[in-house]
Amino acid sequence: MKIDELDTPALLIDLDRLEANLLRWQRHCDQLGIRNRPHVKTHKIPELARLQIAHGAAGVTCQKLGEAEAMADGGVDDILLAYNIIGEQKLERLAALHRRINLQTVADSAEVALGLQRAALAAGKPLKVMVECDTGMNRVGVPTPEGAAELARLIRSLDGLEFSGFCTYPASFEAAAFFAKAREVCRHSDVTVPAISMGGTPGMWQHAALPGITEYRVGTYLYNDRIIAAHGDASLADCAATLLVSVVSCTGASWVTIDGGTKTFSSDQYGQTGFGILLDDPDTVVVRCSEEHGVLQRCGEKPSLQVGDRVRVIPNHACIVSNLHDTAYAVRGDDVVAIWKITARGKIQ
Amino acid sequence: MKIDELDTPALLIDLDRLEANLLRWQRHCDQLGIRNRPHVKTHKIPELARLQIAHGAAGVTCQKLGEAEAMADGGVDDILLAYNIIGEQKLERLAALHRRINLQTVADSAEVALGLQRAALAAGKPLKVMVECDTGMNRVGVPTPEGAAELARLIRSLDGLEFSGFCTYPASFEAAAFFAKAREVCRHSDVTVPAISMGGTPGMWQHAALPGITEYRVGTYLYNDRIIAAHGDASLADCAATLLVSVVSCTGASWVTIDGGTKTFSSDQYGQTGFGILLDDPDTVVVRCSEEHGVLQRCGEKPSLQVGDRVRVIPNHACIVSNLHDTAYAVRGDDVVAIWKITARGKIQ
């Protein structure tokens, strides 16, 4: 099948670019001697998780239990579930998943650790738990190195749990200093720290070399997007995910209108002007969006496009785009070479 | 089943509030003698489209063909598809849908109208087409009353098509003046204007009484949301859609963290601070979101909540929330009384 035969809007993944992105990053991790554990949130597709592992990734990272279940169903057997798992329903599911695969998860409090212990005992199999730390994100995590070391000691003491290291998001020099201190406190109480895991595509080329780091988690790096290119971690030529859309109206004085809006691109902007740019002409911008319409302008003027013309848009934020689509079309040149179901889409539980 | 038995995050719909919202608006339309044709984009659930019709709606509005197909599959047989339908694949689907139900659609250009003619002839059944006008939204639509009347004449002249009126979004006094002028031009060329259709929940109580209007399209009115309440078209006590979420971390100095982020609430803000407010305490705000985490603060301080506590959040923008969830739970008080599949979610084609 050719791209021309696809209806619009459609999410396209350029396989040549994707593979180059995977290779480049894996080589970097190998050179540094750190584990690459990419986050599936950007693609939510088991085939791509397996491709990441085939390229050398040690396993993957998931943020929701439902995502991890979808990946396990798709043949992935080494998962870090980097989220505080709370509540008996989820703990039962966690135990069931833990029986099936090599699972590791996190905790940032004793309450969470005690729940994980129940799941581990129910599964009848020791569960590795990292201590999640807040090294500046102000979201979740133990906020001090001393507190992190104390939780590590607690986890080590709980029957059924294994303390497997410290993790944080995003990577930073402050995080490296935090973990150096936490390690030092652990050393005094004879707690071994098997791993230091950090993450984040922005800054990944620098941050993966931070002192002490043993594992790096990246999400967007396989697709890249307008935000990552603006940050300088990739170029627009490395962006593998685009939205194929059609022009549906040219009645505007200074714009044309396409059949994709916030339901196609999301409303994420993170400082970008508009919601995306054309693959073939980055000066043409999706300047405004409602749910089902996007308005294109080229340097403030009407682009030379007609009703029925099709264009490809590089979105601002690829991760959230994957959460809006049920299907992704893998392309090489003009050919559609695979159709992937985005099976972890919408797995918010 | 009780709400307490649901896992989180989950989209809850308060049926008492929903029914009151439906009744109140239908009564208003009946008093004004105009047709109520609600937009399914807010709920995307055939059961709710049928409930709207049972309350007196003349039919529903859809914006994407896939939404209209999902509604037809769910037993809805009168649909205005308020979107320029472009391309042979969609025109074939349009013809198939037109054979099944009472379908009406729109055009804002001759190109679109000529495509619709092919679909109507293929269906072997006359297709009603409204002329969509741009009365200030600067998105799609014929931008002048003279141009609108000219397109009406063209549609009337095309074998297979019936000109069924003018439509616009959003309703406004300017739109009423635009249509008065378009009607006048039509009168000179002997074109009857069967309907004037406008829409928009913001301002609906005033706008439905605009001169000349025969049909009003509302979306958000059945759920309402924080934006609609801020605009004054409903109160917070009329908000029927909430997100049930759990507190997953209390390690923050001045915040607690919940298991819903932009994948649960969307990143739509439209001038609101943060991403939602608690149903039981509107001073507690989801001040920041990443994809899977939300950060709650109460007047800038840490709310009195513990890990595992569950709260309900009124979102900023209900429509886009429905597009993120596969399931909605209908509740009365503490009881879950129905589980709806959001079958038109993600129907972007």
Side-chain angles (χ1 to χ4, degrees):
Chain A
M1 186 164 47
K2 298 286 182 189
I3 291 176
D4 283 350
E5 296 169 64
L6 295 176
D7 205 350
T8 64
L11 172 59
L12 310 186
I13 308 299
D14 185 304
L15 270 185
D16 292 335
R17 292 185 176 195
L18 175 106
E19 288 166 359
N21 293 337
L22 293 182
L23 276 170
R24 196 161 54 124
W25 176 246
Q26 186 63 51
R27 200 177 302 133
H28 188 70
C29 290
D30 291 347
Q31 280 165 359
L32 292 171
I34 62 168
R35 274 198 304 277
N36 173 29
R37 185 181 282 282
H39 203 309
V40 304
K41 69 175 195 151
T42 304
H43 56 75
K44 305 181 195 298
I45 298 170
E47 285 87 339
L48 289 186
R50 296 203 310 263
L51 193 64
Q52 289 171 318
I53 291 167
H55 276 75
V60 299
T61 309
C62 297
Q63 212 157 3
K64 286 293 175 96
L65 187 53
E67 283 183 340
E69 291 167 334
M71 290 300 139
D73 291 345
V76 177
D77 66 359
D78 193 315
I79 297 176
L80 167 64
L81 178 53
Y83 205 87
N84 284 337
I85 298 299
I86 300 286
E88 295 312 311
Q89 290 179 70
K90 285 199 185 76
L91 290 170
E92 277 177 34
R93 288 164 55 201
L94 184 80
L97 182 64
H98 183 42
R99 275 184 220 111
R100 293 167 62 193
I101 64 160
N102 184 12
L103 184 68
Q104 189 178 180
T105 184
V106 303
D108 73 355
S109 68
E111 296 96 306
V112 173
L114 291 168
L116 295 177
Q117 185 191 29
R118 292 197 297 281
L121 295 175
K125 179 180 169 187
L127 179 61
K128 289 181 180 160
V129 179
M130 295 190 118
V131 171
E132 176 146 28
C133 300
D134 186 352
T135 58
M137 180 76 175
N138 292 351
R139 187 173 70 176
V140 293
V142 183
T144 64
E146 295 77 14
E150 190 183 322
L151 185 55
R153 267 200 309 277
L154 173 71
I155 289 167
R156 202 184 59 162
S157 75
L158 290 175
D159 190 31
L161 300 189
E162 280 178 25
F163 169 63
S164 59
F166 293 116
C167 67
T168 191
Y169 177 87
S172 66
F173 290 96
E174 293 72 17
F178 181 109
F179 289 133
K181 177 72 180 159
R183 257 187 199 285
E184 190 190 315
V185 181
C186 282
R187 200 177 305 122
H188 292 152
S189 53
D190 223 21
V191 173
T192 306
V193 181
I196 299 286
S197 177
M198 303 195 205
T201 297
M204 64 186 194
W205 301 103
Q206 293 75 46
H207 290 155
L210 284 169
I213 203 164
T214 65
E215 175 177 279
Y216 203 88
R217 313 183 313 275
V218 274
T220 319
Y221 83 113
L222 88 162
Y223 285 171
N224 293 309
D225 56 27
R226 192 178 171 212
I227 291 167
I228 296 298
H231 194 271
D233 304 289
S235 75
L236 287 176
D238 301 318
C239 290
T242 54
L243 284 313
L244 179 70
V245 294
S246 296
V247 174
V248 291
S249 181
C250 294
T251 64
S254 63
W255 70 89
V256 303
T257 307
I258 53 176
D259 60 354
T262 58
K263 273 180 58 186
T264 300
F265 307 118
S266 93
S267 39
D268 279 5
Q269 293 193 273
Y270 290 99
Q272 299 297 305
T273 302
F275 300 87
I277 53 180
L278 294 200
L279 175 69
D280 291 335
D281 176 20
D283 288 334
T284 300
V285 179
V286 184
V287 292
R288 287 186 282 119
C289 272
S290 44
E291 281 157 69
E292 305 286 13
H293 294 96
V295 166
L296 286 184
Q297 285 192 317
R298 186 173 201 283
C299 308
E301 300 197 345
K302 187 167 184 166
S304 300
L305 291 165
Q306 305 301 320
V307 169
D309 283 353
R310 294 146 65 98
V311 293
R312 287 168 69 178
V313 176
I314 299 173
N316 287 347
H317 186 191
C319 309
I320 203 80
V321 165
S322 286
N323 194 50
L324 296 172
H325 295 262
D326 291 314
T327 307
Y329 298 90
V331 302
R332 284 201 201 270
D334 295 331
D335 293 313
V336 178
V337 295
I339 300 175
W340 293 319
K341 197 163 156 39
I342 306 177
T343 56
R345 185 211 60 73
K347 300 296 185 200
I348 54 173
Q349 290 190 343
Chain B
M1 185 165 44
K2 298 286 181 189
I3 291 175
D4 283 351
E5 297 170 64
L6 295 176
D7 205 350
T8 63
L11 172 60
L12 310 186
I13 307 300
D14 184 305
L15 270 186
D16 291 335
R17 292 185 177 197
L18 175 105
E19 288 166 358
N21 292 337
L22 292 182
L23 277 169
R24 196 161 54 123
W25 175 245
Q26 187 63 51
R27 200 177 303 133
H28 188 70
C29 290
D30 291 347
Q31 280 165 358
L32 292 172
I34 63 167
R35 276 197 304 276
N36 173 29
R37 185 181 281 282
H39 203 308
V40 304
K41 69 175 195 151
T42 305
H43 56 75
K44 306 180 195 299
I45 298 170
E47 286 86 341
L48 289 185
R50 297 203 309 262
L51 193 64
Q52 290 171 316
I53 291 167
H55 275 75
V60 299
T61 308
C62 296
Q63 212 157 4
K64 286 292 175 98
L65 186 54
E67 285 183 338
E69 289 166 336
M71 291 299 140
D73 291 345
V76 176
D77 65 0
D78 193 316
I79 297 176
L80 168 63
L81 178 53
Y83 205 86
N84 285 337
I85 299 300
I86 299 287
E88 295 313 309
Q89 290 179 70
K90 287 200 185 74
L91 290 169
E92 277 177 33
R93 287 164 56 200
L94 184 80
L97 183 64
H98 183 41
R99 276 184 219 110
R100 294 167 60 193
I101 64 160
N102 183 12
L103 184 68
Q104 190 178 176
T105 185
V106 303
D108 74 354
S109 68
E111 295 96 307
V112 174
L114 291 168
L116 295 177
Q117 184 191 29
R118 291 197 297 280
L121 296 175
K125 181 180 169 189
L127 179 61
K128 289 180 180 162
V129 179
M130 296 190 118
V131 171
E132 177 147 29
C133 300
D134 186 351
T135 60
M137 180 76 175
N138 292 351
R139 187 173 70 176
V140 292
V142 183
T144 64
E146 295 75 14
E150 190 183 321
L151 184 56
R153 266 199 308 277
L154 172 72
I155 289 167
R156 201 184 59 161
S157 75
L158 291 175
D159 189 32
L161 300 189
E162 281 177 25
F163 169 62
S164 60
F166 293 116
C167 67
T168 192
Y169 177 86
S172 67
F173 291 96
E174 293 72 19
F178 181 110
F179 289 134
K181 176 71 180 161
R183 258 187 198 284
E184 190 189 315
V185 181
C186 281
R187 200 176 306 121
H188 292 150
S189 54
D190 222 21
V191 173
T192 305
V193 181
I196 299 286
S197 177
M198 303 195 206
T201 297
M204 65 187 194
W205 301 104
Q206 293 75 44
H207 289 156
L210 284 168
I213 204 165
T214 65
E215 177 177 278
Y216 203 89
R217 312 183 315 273
V218 275
T220 319
Y221 83 112
L222 89 161
Y223 285 171
N224 292 311
D225 56 26
R226 192 178 172 212
I227 291 167
I228 296 297
H231 193 270
D233 303 288
S235 75
L236 288 176
D238 302 318
C239 289
T242 54
L243 284 313
L244 179 71
V245 294
S246 295
V247 174
V248 291
S249 181
C250 294
T251 63
S254 63
W255 70 90
V256 303
T257 307
I258 53 176
D259 60 354
T262 57
K263 273 180 59 186
T264 300
F265 307 118
S266 93
S267 39
D268 278 5
Q269 294 192 273
Y270 290 99
Q272 300 297 304
T273 301
F275 300 87
I277 52 181
L278 293 201
L279 175 69
D280 291 335
D281 177 19
D283 288 335
T284 300
V285 178
V286 184
V287 292
R288 287 185 282 121
C289 272
S290 42
E291 281 156 70
E292 304 286 12
H293 295 96
V295 166
L296 286 184
Q297 285 192 316
R298 186 174 201 283
C299 308
E301 301 197 345
K302 187 168 184 166
S304 300
L305 291 165
Q306 305 301 320
V307 168
D309 283 353
R310 294 146 65 97
V311 293
R312 287 167 69 177
V313 176
I314 299 173
N316 288 345
H317 186 192
C319 309
I320 204 79
V321 166
S322 287
N323 194 50
L324 296 172
H325 295 262
D326 290 314
T327 307
Y329 298 91
V331 301
R332 285 200 201 272
D334 295 332
D335 293 313
V336 178
V337 296
I339 300 175
W340 295 317
K341 197 164 156 40
I342 306 178
T343 55
R345 184 211 60 72
K347 301 297 186 198
I348 53 171
Q349 289 192 340

